[in-house]
Every structure is written in structure tokens, then in C-alpha cells.
Amino acid sequence: MTSRESHRADARTEAAAASSARTRGGLTAPVGHAAVKEGTATMTDELTLLEKAALLSGESVWETRSVPRVGLRALNLSDGPHGIRKQLGSGDHLGINGSAPATCFPTAATVANSWDVSLAEQIGEALGAEAAELDVDVVLGPGLNIKRSPLCGRNFEYFSEDPYLSGKLAAGYVRGIQSQGASACPKHFAANSQEHRRMASDSVVDERTLREIYLTAFEIVVREAAPKAIMSSYNMVNGVYAHENPHLLQDVLRDEWGFDGAVISDWGGSNDAEAAVKAGGTLEMPSPGLDSARQLLAAVEAGTLTEAELDVRVAEMRTLVDRIDPSLARKVDAQAQHELARRVAEASQVLLKNDDALLPLAAGTRVAVIGDFAETPRYQGAGSSLVNPTQLSTARTVLDGSPLDVVRYAQGFRRTGGADEALASEAVDAAREADVVLLYLGLDETSESEGNDRTHMELPLNQVELLNRLRQSTDRIVVVLSAGSAVEMPWIDDARAIVHGYLGGQAGAEATVNVITGAVNPSGRLAETYPLRLEDNPSHPYYPGKESSAEYREGLYVGYRYYSTAEVPVLFPFGFGLSYTTFAYGEVTVDAQGATFTVTNTGSVEGSEVAQLYVGRVSAGVHRPSRELKGFHKVRLAPGESATLTIPFDEYTFRHFSVANDSWAVEAGEYWIGIGASVEDIRAFAHLEVAGRAADADADPAPEPYATGAVGSITDAEFATLLGRRLPELEGGRRMLEANSPLLAMHQARSPLARLAAKVLRSLIARSERKGKPDLNLYFLYNMPFRAIGKMTNGAVSMEMVDSIVTMVNGRHLAGLGGIISGFFRGARTGKRLAAELAESGRRPTPSTDSVRTGA
Ligand code: BGC
């Protein structure tokens, strides 16, 4: 029996014991939260203060602590959002060391194009099943941060620029994962939309925008899918670190949404252990050794933290353990999982252009397959989400087995950029021999990585130049794109058709070929806007926040909310995607319950349409975007078939967050209800009179630009008015650094040695980028604060030593060095003592199961 199996057996015996104990005690309630909590309260009595404090931080990179004496086992946590990354050997959280083979599903950015919640739930089930098979208790995902800018390095891991779509899909994942016994851990809560200074940046955002844009997706997940855990983000939100932010963790998450699970910090994202416990942060990950436990003990001793406060968080840990059911583990069929990955990728392909119906290609069409991505697919992003796939399809092999006649393959360009005449002219020759060119273009691994934001939205120049050259010899070019986020397409006229496969996971190449041959009719619709130029994006002037704060000056006007309100033309609107068939919409009728309309497949092949419901306000009232997604329905129709659909209204349809009343409100008045095939392609609309609170535009604090959506040059004063407070000071010039300053700020440090270290770090990063292999360790170091050295070294570096490191960086070398040395010995002594005490309490006699679980 493995230790995990014995835990499973223990869990089953415990559950049986608990259930018979409840019956004996006259409690007939089913196993539920109340019963769990009762046992928990008693369990805390059995723990020593040190055990309680120690439970609130990890034992290792991926494991929590156990207290076998009271039946509390350790949990295994693993990334991630699109496949399980159960690490083998030594653990790291950046996807650097190897992991067990697991199905690599399309990333969230891809799945979002499917607009299919039931598919998201199936992915969740598949992830949950693999997690259980691999002994993983907590799956660290899905990621549902809002795509504020197309540049965010982790956009490939997130769903959309829209909170409603993100929330609905993420809820599907969570339900699916948790149906298999594991816990999901939606992340990163909250307002974590840039990688630059990701652990040392303050997201400065007004309350209304925070609620409506950045929190609503999490709200939907919590209310609809009850995740057992949630991951707090690295950043601060309005001046307070997310893991110790009482407004986020207590007022909103727990009190308003009713979340009763555990809040787990992002890896190294915890700041002050005491503040976290007080605010609602349950578990600090990975392991700071016993250093955080020591801080909590000291706080209790000093009287600034009560044992009762500690007990609340310990109870949450117990509840998390109790809610995970490892007994559901079963053998997973890897081939069936691969096929699901293909179906998901198929449903997520977006046909962006198809002039003269070039696609689908008939069997026997002579094609030249060009582009490095056809041979070596780009199918996932870099970082902690990196999955070791069970198998991997490539376009080249799939095309060889397809009904198309592949006349030649040519690499065409070097993936990492730079001109290569030999490759380009070989490609031109290949194109001349074929009827149609399938040109596989995309972003390379360095362009989309955790820890590093993009600086532009272009495809590499060598790829665009190749397209240009091929266009001289043929106008029958199909561009097949691989990228996890939006790109600019000044080259669009050179392509007759464009299939966007996004990052399609291990079976993505099969899905794309099936679209090209017509075996699959594309039904993906963009979950993000493609602006014509990066400069058109509303966050562009403010993104990324380079200094200590990231100012969300564009407010509510994120993505299409901006383009449609400010009437800025785009390349492809939110919700857009073509099909090999056509759909007609009938009139829409609306009542208080929802919008009803008919969709008909007017073409000659079966296909799926995504009908989208947008809502705007007609009557005057507080400022708001001209239209917002409030529902959608994907429907599959045979040629000539019609379906009458009703998209119901819900609590999110008409509400806005009233700053004046600090609560959600519905303004009475007339609303516009549009049904469309994209946000710009509204096929039918109606107006509806909605009851609610009298509109009070005077209570809207937003200054003028927010009324029209013209948010491109919001002044300090305007933003301060929106925020309702003064803007935080920005840091600049040479200055004293602190434990929470990022390592990248060393270039401003007083110590010349620190400034040199900053330079070395920067040049190492540049070198790794030139090689086309992003070094995630370096990105991580660059953006992390000094504090994280203490948080991520398993107790080897205490927080006192961190302070001494900072003293050195600030130019007091000898004092700093002295502090590091004495801190080392003091820390080692205390660590040893606490470890011995912990071991000692672990040896105490085991209380009877009944007394632990029921308080008997
Ligand atoms: C990432 C998280 C991830 C964690 C563990 C962090 O760096 O931000 O998304 O779950 O590492 O790998």
C-alpha cells in the first residue's frame, strides 16, 4: 500500500467512523459542512499551538503538512489549468523539472473560443480523473484573470476579456474537477493582469471596476461551482497584498459570496503571515520552513493574534482535507483523454477569414505545407502550466494521413526569428509545386510565457516576410496560426484564409487539419477582441504598470466594452468566427425572464452557432459600456434546421456596482437587449423596461471621459476622482529598497554591487531570450521581491535574514552581512527547536477517532 493508498483507506474508515458516530450522537444530517465543522472544532482542541501555526504553511513545494495523530493527512497540490503537472523528482513551480505524462488539453484561451460550458465541464472531469490517478488532491486551476491587455504573458492561460464568459467556463472546469473527488483552485484572486513585477505590483483599481470586471468571474465560479479552495494572487490590490487583503478575502469572498473553503497563496505570494491569518488567507505555499509558524507563535505571544483567529484558519485546512475524496480514483484511459482533447480543440478553432470559400479543401488538393510550426507544434505556453503530454500530434504527420495530397514540406523560417534565405527560397519552391499553401505561422515560446509580458503584438518579421514572398507566386495561401493571444495582422490581405488554432494542446494539430479538410465545421468564436493595432487597446497607455503600481485607468472599458462604446474599429470583434455554413436569426422577444429568438442554419452543411446576448442601457443613469455580454448559447443545427432559443436573464444581467451605496443595484429604466453573432454583428434587438432603483446619475463619481468611453488619456486628477482617493506615490530614482521591492529595482539601489547584480540579471535574461529559450527562473527572480527569498527557501533564509540582505542592497554592506550571519545561526537554532517540538507533539498518543471527530 502506498502512503496515499493508506490515506485513502484511512479516509474511508474515518468517514465510516464519523458517520456512525453521528448516528450514535443522534445527528442524522448527511455528511456535510456542518458535520465537518463540528469535527474540526474538536480537532483544533487536540492540536498544539505550534501544530496549528505550522499547518498554515506548506511542508514542501507541493505538499501541505499532516498531523496523523488527529487523522489529518498531507495534501498534494499540482498545476494546472490545462493538464496535470505532477512533478517527478525535485519540485519547482515554474515548469522546469520533469513531470509525469498527462493529457495536455488546449489552454484556457483556446477553450474559451468554444463558448461551450459543458465541454469545459468535461475537461474538468478529465483533469480531475487524471489528478486522482496521479494522487493529486488539489488542481491549481483554472486561471481566470481578465485579459486587460493583449500583452499579458499569461493570457494563454486565461479565458477572456469578458468576466461573464470567463466565469461560466471556469465554473464548468471547477464542477468537473471536483466531481472526481479533488479540489479545484481557481486563480489568481484578483486583479492580476500583468507579469511585470508580478509579485511586487499594486493593482490600483476603482471599486466598481474591480467588482464588475475583475471579480465577477470569480463570483460566478464561487456561487455556481463552490470551489473547495481558491488561490490568492501575487499582487497587491489597492495597497494590500491579495493574500492578506480583508476586503477581498473576507468582505467579498466569504461574507458576500459565501465561500467557505481555503484560500491558498500563490507560490511565494504570502507577505505577512499574521496579516494573512487575520484577513482570511488560509495556507501559505510553498514552504517557508517553520519561519511563518514562528511568526504566528510570536504574534499570539505578543497578543496581536488570538488562538481563536488561528483556529478559524486551521478549521479551513481541516475542511479542505475532509472535502477531498481520494477514493474516487480510477484508471484513466489515456487514448480516450486524447480524443477528448481533440474534440475540445475542434470546438475551439476559429476561422477568421475564408475568401471565395477557399476552405474546406477537397480531397486530393495538392498542398505545400510550410512553416516550422507544422513540424514542431506550439500547443501550450511556458511556465508553471507546462504539461508533459501523453502523445503529441504534429500537422506534418496528420496531414500525411489526411485525404490531401501533400506535395512538399518546407520549414520556411527560423522559429526564433532572423532572416534565412535558404529556408525561404526552399519554401517558395515548395509553394510553386502546389495548388494551395498551408502556411503554419505563430508566436514562439519566448513570446508567451509566465513571468514575461509581450512588448508588441506582431508576428516575427521573418514569418511575415515569408508570407509576403509566397504571395508573389500564389494567392491561394491558408495561414494556420498558433498563438495563445491576439496578434496584429497588417499582412491579412496576403492570406486568402486564416484558421486560428490558438494553443490546441496535444491533439491540436488534428483539430486544425480536420477544419482544413472540412471533417469539422469550425464553430469557435473569439473570446477576445483583435484590435487593428496595439495602440488601440484601451489599457495601452497604462500597461504594464512599470513602477510600484499598475493603474487601471481605463476603468470598466476593457476589451470590447471600450471598442464598442468609443466606436473604435477593430480587426476582429469579440465573439467573431466564421463557419462553413450560414445562420439566420429571427426577431427577438423579451420579457422579464429572458430573450427568445430563432436561429436557422441556412447553409448546406451541419454547423454550430454561438448566439450571444448583449445588454446596454437606454435611459440615462450611471456610466456604463454601450453593451455587455450577459448570456450565450451554442447550438448545433443541420442544414435547414431551426431552433428556438431562450437565453434567460439572471442576477448579473442588469446590475451595476453602486459606489455610492457600496452594493449591487439595478437601475430602473429602459434597457437594450441585442442578440448577435458577435458584439458588432447584432442580428436582432428589443427594448425592455426593467424595474429597480431610481437612476441616480449624480451619485456616479466618474468624471466626463468615462461617460463616453474615451479613456485613452485619463489624467491623474480624473483617475483620483474615479478612485475616490489620492493616487499612490510612484517610486523613481535612486532610493532605499525594502523587503517588498522587486529584485529588478536593484538598478535604483544605493549599493553599487546591487546595481551590478541588476545589470547581470538583465543581461542573463536578454541572453536567454536571444537563444529563444525563456529562462523562467530568471524571469521569476527579476520580478520577485526580496521577501520571496525567505518565503521560498524552505526555511533556509528567515525574514530577518531577508531584512539584512536589504540592508546590504541599501549600501550598508557590513551591517547587512553581520545580520545575515547572525540571522542564519539564530534561524537555524529556532528552526531546529520548533522542528523538534513538532516531532514531539506528533508522538503524543492518538486520541480516539470518535473523540476527534465528534467531541465525544
Ligand atoms: C504561478 C501559479 C502556479 C504556482 C505553482 C506560480 O508561480 O503563478 O499559477 O499555480 O506557481 O506552480
Side-chain angles (χ1 to χ4, degrees):
M1 220 187 226
T2 64
S3 76
R4 168 72 183 243
E5 279 161 355
S6 81
H7 284 319
R8 279 181 197 147
D10 289 352
R12 280 192 291 269
T13 341
E14 269 184 41
S19 130
S20 70
R22 274 196 303 281
T23 317
R24 275 202 308 278
L27 291 171
T28 49
V31 179
H33 299 178
V36 167
K37 277 189 182 140
E38 185 189 331
T40 303
T42 315
M43 182 210 66
T44 55
D45 299 343
E46 300 289 340
L47 296 175
T48 65
L49 188 60
L50 173 58
E51 281 172 329
K52 293 178 189 178
L55 266 177
L56 302 185
S57 49
E59 165 86 47
S60 67
V61 179
W62 300 118
E63 267 189 322
T64 62
R65 290 183 188 275
S66 63
V67 188
R69 200 179 80 247
V70 296
L72 194 71
R73 69 183 182 91
L75 296 178
N76 277 309
L77 294 75
S78 270
D79 285 298
H82 60 269
I84 304 301
R85 190 170 67 85
K86 173 80 189 280
Q87 276 201 304
L88 307 164
S90 73
D92 71 89
H93 68 111
L94 300 170
I96 296 166
N97 291 326
S99 57
T103 314
C104 179
F105 290 94
T107 73
T110 317
V111 177
N113 298 327
S114 75
W115 295 61
D116 189 335
V117 175
S118 79
L119 207 52
E121 193 158 338
Q122 287 174 52
I123 302 170
E125 279 164 19
L127 289 171
E130 288 191 36
E133 191 187 29
L134 288 166
D135 287 348
V136 169
D137 300 297
V138 181
V139 178
L140 303 175
L144 55 147
N145 294 100
I146 294 298
K147 298 181 191 198
R148 178 178 172 225
S149 161
L151 300 182
C152 173
R154 291 186 91 168
N155 273 357
F156 70 88
E157 278 186 74
Y158 302 146
F159 293 100
S160 175
E161 64 192 26
D162 181 81
Y164 191 85
L165 182 58
S166 301
K168 290 285 173 180
L169 290 166
Y173 274 65
V174 172
R175 278 192 298 270
I177 291 170
Q178 299 197 156
S179 72
Q180 304 301 305
S183 167
C185 187
K187 63 191 185 184
H188 310 87
F189 188 65
N192 178 201
S193 300
Q194 71 175 54
E195 290 298 283
H196 185 73
R197 294 183 67 130
R198 66 179 182 151
M199 298 174 87
S201 155
D202 179 13
S203 298
V204 180
V205 52
D206 67 279
E207 186 66 15
R208 181 168 170 207
T209 300
L210 182 66
R211 297 300 196 101
E212 293 186 22
I213 304 293
Y214 297 97
L215 298 188
T216 292
F218 285 99
E219 178 179 358
I220 293 173
V221 171
V222 169
R223 290 195 196 276
E224 296 188 6
K228 299 168 192 172
I230 200 163
M231 188 190 291
S232 57
S233 57
Y234 278 135
N235 51 290
M236 289 184 245
V237 179
N238 292 325
V240 185
Y241 277 102
H243 195 63
E244 60 197 44
N245 192 313
H247 180 52
L248 281 184
L249 304 187
Q250 192 61 49
D251 303 347
V252 178
L253 179 65
R254 290 197 165 83
D255 296 348
E256 195 175 307
W257 303 345
F259 176 79
D260 64 353
V263 175
I264 302 177
S265 79
D266 198 346
W267 267 230
S270 146
N271 172 49
D272 176 329
E274 179 186 350
V277 168
K278 281 182 177 297
T282 313
L283 173 69
E284 167 178 347
M285 285 303 287
S287 175
L290 287 169
D291 202 46
S292 293
R294 180 187 59 74
Q295 290 167 35
L296 293 176
L297 293 180
V300 173
E301 197 169 320
T304 53
L305 181 72
T306 65
E307 191 163 348
E309 286 174 305
L310 212 56
D311 286 348
V312 176
R313 305 281 92 93
V314 172
E316 286 160 5
M317 273 308 290
R318 169 95 228 185
T319 304
L320 177 62
V321 175
D322 287 348
R323 285 181 179 168
I324 292 166
D325 182 2
S327 71
L328 297 180
R330 61 190 156 89
K331 178 94 196 85
V332 175
D333 176 349
Q335 189 54 34
Q337 301 280 95
H338 179 83
E339 265 139 40
L340 174 62
R342 175 183 46 73
R343 285 201 308 281
V344 174
E346 285 172 351
S348 310
Q349 302 288 302
V350 190
L351 181 64
L352 291 176
K353 180 174 179 184
N354 194 19
D355 283 1
D356 312 319
L358 178 63
L359 292 178
L361 300 181
T365 305
R366 291 164 52 78
V367 296
V369 180
I370 298 175
D372 192 43
F373 297 96
E375 171 98 28
T376 310
R378 193 59 231 300
Y379 60 101
Q380 62 176 331
S384 60
S385 65
L386 195 84
V387 177
N388 175 13
T390 57
Q391 52 178 294
L392 180 60
S393 307
T394 74
R396 260 198 93 177
T397 44
V398 178
L399 282 164
D400 281 342
S402 81
L404 302 176
D405 179 6
V406 179
V407 293
R408 248 172 92 175
Y409 163 75
Q411 183 187 330
F413 53 83
R414 276 190 293 168
R415 194 184 191 87
T416 49
D420 190 320
E421 180 50 33
L423 289 180
S425 56
E426 183 198 7
V428 171
D429 290 347
R432 288 207 181 102
E433 288 175 32
D435 296 332
V436 173
V437 169
L438 298 180
L439 180 58
Y440 281 77
L441 303 180
L443 295 176
D444 72 335
E445 285 70 9
T446 28
S447 313
E448 292 180 288
S449 170
E450 179 173 340
N452 193 27
D453 296 315
R454 289 193 293 168
T455 52
H456 60 78
M457 288 178 64
E458 292 158 25
L459 280 187
L461 186 63
N462 61 346
Q463 297 185 31
V464 177
E465 281 175 355
L466 177 66
L467 169 61
N468 238 262
R469 260 178 83 171
L470 294 172
R471 179 66 185 80
Q472 315 300 314
S473 25
T474 174
D475 67 348
R476 293 166 66 80
I477 300 175
V478 178
V479 167
V480 184
L481 266 183
S482 304
S485 39
V487 292
E488 288 169 357
M489 299 185 193
W491 43 263
I492 192 164
D493 292 342
D494 289 344
R496 178 93 71 95
I498 304 175
V499 179
H500 200 337
Y502 267 73
L503 299 180
Q506 65 181 50
E510 295 166 46
T512 312
V513 171
N514 286 343
V515 165
I516 292 169
T517 61
V520 165
N521 186 355
S523 62
R525 305 289 186 261
L526 294 175
E528 60 189 321
T529 311
Y530 278 53
L532 284 162
R533 314 168 306 148
L534 169 64
E535 294 72 24
D536 294 340
N537 179 266
S539 73
H540 180 65
Y542 322 117
Y543 187 95
K546 293 259 191 227
E547 296 298 332
S548 45
S549 44
E551 299 181 336
Y552 287 48
R553 292 196 182 204
E554 69 283 1
L556 299 173
Y557 297 100
V558 174
Y560 72 83
R561 284 172 165 74
Y562 166 74
Y563 301 111
S564 60
T565 309
E567 297 183 352
V568 174
V570 300
L571 178 62
F572 296 117
F574 176 81
F576 172 83
L578 300 171
S579 164
Y580 295 148
T581 188
T582 46
F583 300 95
Y585 286 69
E587 292 296 297
V588 59
T589 55
V590 291
D591 60 21
Q593 269 66 54
T596 303
F597 53 96
T598 302
V599 184
T600 306
N601 180 343
T602 48
S604 54
V605 287
E606 189 177 81
S608 296
E609 172 69 331
V610 178
Q612 301 155 37
L613 169 83
Y614 293 93
V615 173
R617 187 168 164 84
V618 179
S619 311
V622 295
H623 80 281
R624 61 170 89 210
S626 65
R627 52 190 69 169
E628 297 180 276
L629 182 79
K630 296 296 179 175
F632 56 92
H633 191 124
K634 189 166 191 174
V635 59
R636 190 171 185 78
L637 296 168
E641 192 185 356
S642 293
T644 299
L645 308 175
T646 297
I647 301 184
F649 299 146
D650 57 25
E651 64 268 44
Y652 306 104
T653 311
F654 301 108
R655 71 177 195 177
H656 76 279
F657 191 79
S658 162
V659 179
N661 297 297
D662 194 27
S663 64
W664 292 100
V666 172
E667 282 181 314
E670 193 179 350
Y671 287 78
W672 170 91
I673 315 288
I675 297 292
S678 83
V679 69
E680 297 294 330
D681 184 9
I682 300 299
R683 303 290 184 88
F685 68 88
H687 286 188
L688 181 69
E689 203 55 42
V690 174
R693 198 148 76 194
D696 185 7
D698 293 346
D700 187 353
E704 176 58 22
Y706 293 99
T708 58
V711 290
S713 48
I714 297 292
T715 63
D716 286 1
E718 286 164 344
F719 189 45
T721 308
L722 183 74
L723 284 176
R725 61 191 153 87
R726 287 178 49 195
L727 302 187
E729 299 283 323
L730 292 183
E731 301 155 344
R734 195 153 298 171
R735 62 194 174 86
M736 298 293 270
L737 301 189
E738 296 159 6
N740 274 329
S741 307
L743 266 54
L744 64 87
M746 283 192 299
H747 75 92
Q748 295 167 308
R750 298 217 166 144
S751 154
L753 278 179
R755 293 201 296 279
L756 181 67
K759 237 187 210 156
V760 171
L761 195 53
R762 198 47 259 173
S763 70
L764 288 174
I765 290 177
R767 199 162 74 188
S768 81
E769 284 173 349
R770 276 197 303 278
K771 280 199 210 142
K773 272 202 157 301
D775 189 323
L776 296 172
N777 255 329
L778 294 176
Y779 284 146
F780 188 80
L781 285 175
Y782 187 67
N783 289 303
M784 84 175 198
F786 293 97
R787 150 182 58 93
I789 305 175
K791 295 292 180 187
M792 306 199 63
T793 44
N794 209 356
V797 179
S798 65
M799 290 316 277
E800 279 82 359
M801 289 165 74
V802 168
D803 288 337
S804 301
I805 294 173
V806 175
T807 305
M808 283 185 81
V809 167
N810 284 330
R812 294 178 52 223
H813 296 111
L814 282 180
L817 191 62
I820 293 174
I821 294 169
S822 61
F824 174 78
F825 287 109
R826 227 188 357 262
R829 254 196 327 270
T830 317
K832 235 185 184 160
R833 181 175 53 75
L834 293 181
E837 269 178 38
L838 207 53
E840 177 57 34
S841 54
R843 283 193 288 273
R844 283 184 180 186
T846 309
S848 81
T849 310
D850 281 5
S851 77
V852 172
R853 303 288 307 200
T854 67

